[in-house]
Amino acid sequence: MKGLILSLGLAGFVFAGGEAIFKSKGCNACHKPDKDTPMGPSLKTIQGAYGGDVNALVKYLKGQAEARVWPDKAAIMKAQLNKLKGLSDAELKALAEYILGK
Ligand code: HEC
């Protein structure tokens, strides 16, 4: 909820917060908060690779940057990025902030 209220304040129009997007797109099926699984790296591991760089993560989510975390499994994740097509820049930023624990 905090994300939604914050988003409303920042963008001035209604959109789902980062956590809501993450869950509604099924990202949490492969990404757990702090434990890597065979399905995917944890959010903590992703945070380690991005070091709080929201802009770099947004670029990745838009398909404009190479994978940093497990490059040998990048193809699995690349297919997931299609689910994010149609999200606004503000929504992608909220999603990136959620992933990076901001
Ligand atoms: C079928 C399992 C699966 C689902 C569902 C999934 N991911 Fe991933 N994700 C992976 C795997 C495997 C990797 C490791 C490969 C890589 O680093 O690109 C990964 C990596 C990532 C990374 C790190 C990218 C990098 O720079 O390496 C981010 C960010 C990410 N996922 C976000 C998401 C988001 C957002 C969603 C929901 C739209 C999502 N994932 C759904 C499996 C999944």
Side-chain angles (χ1 to χ4, degrees), residues 30-96:
C30 296
H31 297 293
K32 302 299 167 200
D34 47 32
K35 206 164 169 276
D36 292 346
T37 68
M39 302 294 286
S42 66
L43 298 187
K44 204 166 153 193
T45 296
I46 297 172
Q47 285 160 17
Y50 280 87
D53 192 341
V54 172
N55 289 336
L57 184 52
V58 168
K59 238 180 143 189
Y60 168 79
L61 294 174
K62 286 181 168 182
Q64 295 169 355
E66 294 304 317
R68 297 184 178 190
V69 180
W70 294 351
D72 54 318
K73 292 197 175 168
I76 299 172
M77 185 51 215
K78 204 134 220 176
Q80 301 298 322
L81 293 179
N82 285 328
K83 294 183 188 166
L84 302 178
K85 295 242 161 79
L87 291 186
S88 68
D89 283 357
E91 286 170 320
L92 288 174
K93 186 160 180 269
L95 178 59

Side-chain angles (χ1 to χ4, degrees), residues 9-27:
L10 288 177
F13 59 89
V14 181
F15 63 86
E19 184 175 2
I21 297 171
F22 193 80
K23 292 189 172 150
S24 72
K25 301 288 182 188
C27 314

